[in-house]
PDB file of all heavy atoms in Angstrom:
ATOM      1  N   LEU W  87     -14.300  -5.714  -9.825  1.00  0.00           N
ATOM      2  CA  LEU W  87     -13.422  -6.572 -10.614  1.00  0.00           C
ATOM      3  C   LEU W  87     -14.137  -7.101 -11.857  1.00  0.00           C
ATOM      4  O   LEU W  87     -13.589  -7.057 -12.959  1.00  0.00           O
ATOM      5  CB  LEU W  87     -12.896  -7.733  -9.765  1.00  0.00           C
ATOM      6  CG  LEU W  87     -11.900  -8.655 -10.467  1.00  0.00           C
ATOM      7  CD1 LEU W  87     -10.639  -7.899 -10.854  1.00  0.00           C
ATOM      8  CD2 LEU W  87     -11.568  -9.838  -9.570  1.00  0.00           C
ATOM      9  N   ASP W  88     -15.364  -7.571 -11.678  1.00  0.00           N
ATOM     10  CA  ASP W  88     -16.118  -8.092 -12.817  1.00  0.00           C
ATOM     11  C   ASP W  88     -16.442  -6.979 -13.811  1.00  0.00           C
ATOM     12  O   ASP W  88     -16.346  -7.180 -15.034  1.00  0.00           O
ATOM     13  CB  ASP W  88     -17.400  -8.776 -12.341  1.00  0.00           C
ATOM     14  CG  ASP W  88     -17.086 -10.008 -11.505  1.00  0.00           C
ATOM     15  OD1 ASP W  88     -16.205 -10.791 -11.911  1.00  0.00           O
ATOM     16  OD2 ASP W  88     -17.717 -10.182 -10.450  1.00  0.00           O
ATOM     17  N   ASP W  89     -16.805  -5.800 -13.298  1.00  0.00           N
ATOM     18  CA  ASP W  89     -17.096  -4.660 -14.180  1.00  0.00           C
ATOM     19  C   ASP W  89     -15.866  -4.293 -15.009  1.00  0.00           C
ATOM     20  O   ASP W  89     -15.966  -4.028 -16.206  1.00  0.00           O
ATOM     21  CB  ASP W  89     -17.549  -3.444 -13.370  1.00  0.00           C
ATOM     22  CG  ASP W  89     -18.898  -3.652 -12.693  1.00  0.00           C
ATOM     23  OD1 ASP W  89     -19.634  -4.584 -13.081  1.00  0.00           O
ATOM     24  OD2 ASP W  89     -19.210  -2.874 -11.762  1.00  0.00           O
ATOM     25  N   TRP W  90     -14.707  -4.265 -14.363  1.00  0.00           N
ATOM     26  CA  TRP W  90     -13.487  -3.885 -15.051  1.00  0.00           C
ATOM     27  C   TRP W  90     -13.071  -4.950 -16.071  1.00  0.00           C
ATOM     28  O   TRP W  90     -12.636  -4.613 -17.170  1.00  0.00           O
ATOM     29  CB  TRP W  90     -12.362  -3.641 -14.061  1.00  0.00           C
ATOM     30  CG  TRP W  90     -12.638  -2.517 -13.101  1.00  0.00           C
ATOM     31  CD1 TRP W  90     -13.655  -1.603 -13.164  1.00  0.00           C
ATOM     32  CD2 TRP W  90     -11.898  -2.201 -11.941  1.00  0.00           C
ATOM     33  NE1 TRP W  90     -13.573  -0.734 -12.100  1.00  0.00           N
ATOM     34  CE2 TRP W  90     -12.506  -1.085 -11.326  1.00  0.00           C
ATOM     35  CE3 TRP W  90     -10.775  -2.761 -11.335  1.00  0.00           C
ATOM     36  CZ2 TRP W  90     -12.021  -0.508 -10.160  1.00  0.00           C
ATOM     37  CZ3 TRP W  90     -10.290  -2.187 -10.160  1.00  0.00           C
ATOM     38  CH2 TRP W  90     -10.914  -1.065  -9.594  1.00  0.00           C
ATOM     39  N   ALA W  91     -13.197  -6.201 -15.693  1.00  0.00           N
ATOM     40  CA  ALA W  91     -12.859  -7.286 -16.628  1.00  0.00           C
ATOM     41  C   ALA W  91     -13.786  -7.234 -17.843  1.00  0.00           C
ATOM     42  O   ALA W  91     -13.331  -7.361 -18.986  1.00  0.00           O
ATOM     43  CB  ALA W  91     -12.948  -8.634 -15.936  1.00  0.00           C
ATOM     44  N   ASP W  92     -15.078  -7.023 -17.591  1.00  0.00           N
ATOM     45  CA  ASP W  92     -16.040  -6.899 -18.689  1.00  0.00           C
ATOM     46  C   ASP W  92     -15.735  -5.686 -19.568  1.00  0.00           C
ATOM     47  O   ASP W  92     -16.012  -5.688 -20.762  1.00  0.00           O
ATOM     48  CB  ASP W  92     -17.476  -6.798 -18.164  1.00  0.00           C
ATOM     49  CG  ASP W  92     -17.969  -8.105 -17.553  1.00  0.00           C
ATOM     50  OD1 ASP W  92     -17.350  -9.167 -17.816  1.00  0.00           O
ATOM     51  OD2 ASP W  92     -18.971  -8.058 -16.811  1.00  0.00           O
ATOM     52  N   GLY W  93     -15.150  -4.654 -18.970  1.00  0.00           N
ATOM     53  CA  GLY W  93     -14.799  -3.437 -19.706  1.00  0.00           C
ATOM     54  C   GLY W  93     -13.497  -3.565 -20.484  1.00  0.00           C
ATOM     55  O   GLY W  93     -13.080  -2.627 -21.156  1.00  0.00           O
ATOM     56  N   GLY W  94     -12.833  -4.725 -20.375  1.00  0.00           N
ATOM     57  CA  GLY W  94     -11.613  -4.957 -21.145  1.00  0.00           C
ATOM     58  C   GLY W  94     -10.325  -4.556 -20.461  1.00  0.00           C
ATOM     59  O   GLY W  94      -9.277  -4.465 -21.100  1.00  0.00           O
ATOM     60  N   MET W  95     -10.359  -4.336 -19.146  1.00  0.00           N
ATOM     61  CA  MET W  95      -9.158  -3.932 -18.427  1.00  0.00           C
ATOM     62  C   MET W  95      -8.094  -5.037 -18.514  1.00  0.00           C
ATOM     63  O   MET W  95      -8.408  -6.213 -18.405  1.00  0.00           O
ATOM     64  CB  MET W  95      -9.492  -3.644 -16.959  1.00  0.00           C
ATOM     65  CG  MET W  95      -8.289  -3.211 -16.137  1.00  0.00           C
ATOM     66  SD  MET W  95      -8.720  -2.855 -14.419  1.00  0.00           S
ATOM     67  CE  MET W  95      -9.229  -1.153 -14.567  1.00  0.00           C
ATOM     68  N   THR W  96      -6.845  -4.619 -18.704  1.00  0.00           N
ATOM     69  CA  THR W  96      -5.726  -5.561 -18.727  1.00  0.00           C
ATOM     70  C   THR W  96      -5.125  -5.693 -17.332  1.00  0.00           C
ATOM     71  O   THR W  96      -5.413  -4.884 -16.437  1.00  0.00           O
ATOM     72  CB  THR W  96      -4.624  -5.083 -19.691  1.00  0.00           C
ATOM     73  OG1 THR W  96      -4.051  -3.870 -19.163  1.00  0.00           O
ATOM     74  CG2 THR W  96      -5.164  -4.862 -21.092  1.00  0.00           C
ATOM     75  N   ASP W  97      -4.258  -6.677 -17.180  1.00  0.00           N
ATOM     76  CA  ASP W  97      -3.568  -6.879 -15.904  1.00  0.00           C
ATOM     77  C   ASP W  97      -2.741  -5.650 -15.535  1.00  0.00           C
ATOM     78  O   ASP W  97      -2.754  -5.197 -14.396  1.00  0.00           O
ATOM     79  CB  ASP W  97      -2.682  -8.124 -15.989  1.00  0.00           C
ATOM     80  CG  ASP W  97      -1.885  -8.365 -14.733  1.00  0.00           C
ATOM     81  OD1 ASP W  97      -2.511  -8.566 -13.672  1.00  0.00           O
ATOM     82  OD2 ASP W  97      -0.639  -8.342 -14.803  1.00  0.00           O
ATOM     83  N   ARG W  98      -2.027  -5.092 -16.507  1.00  0.00           N
ATOM     84  CA  ARG W  98      -1.211  -3.897 -16.264  1.00  0.00           C
ATOM     85  C   ARG W  98      -2.085  -2.730 -15.831  1.00  0.00           C
ATOM     86  O   ARG W  98      -1.772  -2.021 -14.877  1.00  0.00           O
ATOM     87  CB  ARG W  98      -0.433  -3.522 -17.520  1.00  0.00           C
ATOM     88  CG  ARG W  98       0.420  -2.272 -17.348  1.00  0.00           C
ATOM     89  CD  ARG W  98       1.260  -1.985 -18.606  1.00  0.00           C
ATOM     90  NE  ARG W  98       2.036  -0.782 -18.426  1.00  0.00           N
ATOM     91  CZ  ARG W  98       1.627   0.441 -18.783  1.00  0.00           C
ATOM     92  NH1 ARG W  98       0.450   0.618 -19.362  1.00  0.00           N
ATOM     93  NH2 ARG W  98       2.400   1.491 -18.574  1.00  0.00           N
ATOM     94  N   GLN W  99      -3.210  -2.527 -16.515  1.00  0.00           N
ATOM     95  CA  GLN W  99      -4.118  -1.436 -16.153  1.00  0.00           C
ATOM     96  C   GLN W  99      -4.660  -1.632 -14.740  1.00  0.00           C
ATOM     97  O   GLN W  99      -4.768  -0.671 -13.972  1.00  0.00           O
ATOM     98  CB  GLN W  99      -5.259  -1.359 -17.161  1.00  0.00           C
ATOM     99  CG  GLN W  99      -4.820  -0.891 -18.528  1.00  0.00           C
ATOM    100  CD  GLN W  99      -5.886  -1.081 -19.592  1.00  0.00           C
ATOM    101  OE1 GLN W  99      -6.788  -1.908 -19.455  1.00  0.00           O
ATOM    102  NE2 GLN W  99      -5.788  -0.313 -20.669  1.00  0.00           N
ATOM    103  N   PHE W 100      -4.981  -2.861 -14.394  1.00  0.00           N
ATOM    104  CA  PHE W 100      -5.481  -3.170 -13.057  1.00  0.00           C
ATOM    105  C   PHE W 100      -4.466  -2.767 -11.995  1.00  0.00           C
ATOM    106  O   PHE W 100      -4.788  -2.108 -11.014  1.00  0.00           O
ATOM    107  CB  PHE W 100      -5.794  -4.670 -12.962  1.00  0.00           C
ATOM    108  CG  PHE W 100      -6.190  -5.129 -11.596  1.00  0.00           C
ATOM    109  CD1 PHE W 100      -7.444  -4.834 -11.077  1.00  0.00           C
ATOM    110  CD2 PHE W 100      -5.311  -5.875 -10.821  1.00  0.00           C
ATOM    111  CE1 PHE W 100      -7.812  -5.269  -9.813  1.00  0.00           C
ATOM    112  CE2 PHE W 100      -5.682  -6.313  -9.555  1.00  0.00           C
ATOM    113  CZ  PHE W 100      -6.936  -6.005  -9.053  1.00  0.00           C
TER     114      PHE W 100
END
Side-chain angles (χ1 to χ4, degrees):
L87 183 63
D88 295 315
D89 293 343
W90 298 349
D92 290 343
M95 180 179 274
T96 66
D97 177 61
R98 179 176 179 268
Q99 291 168 337
F100 174 74

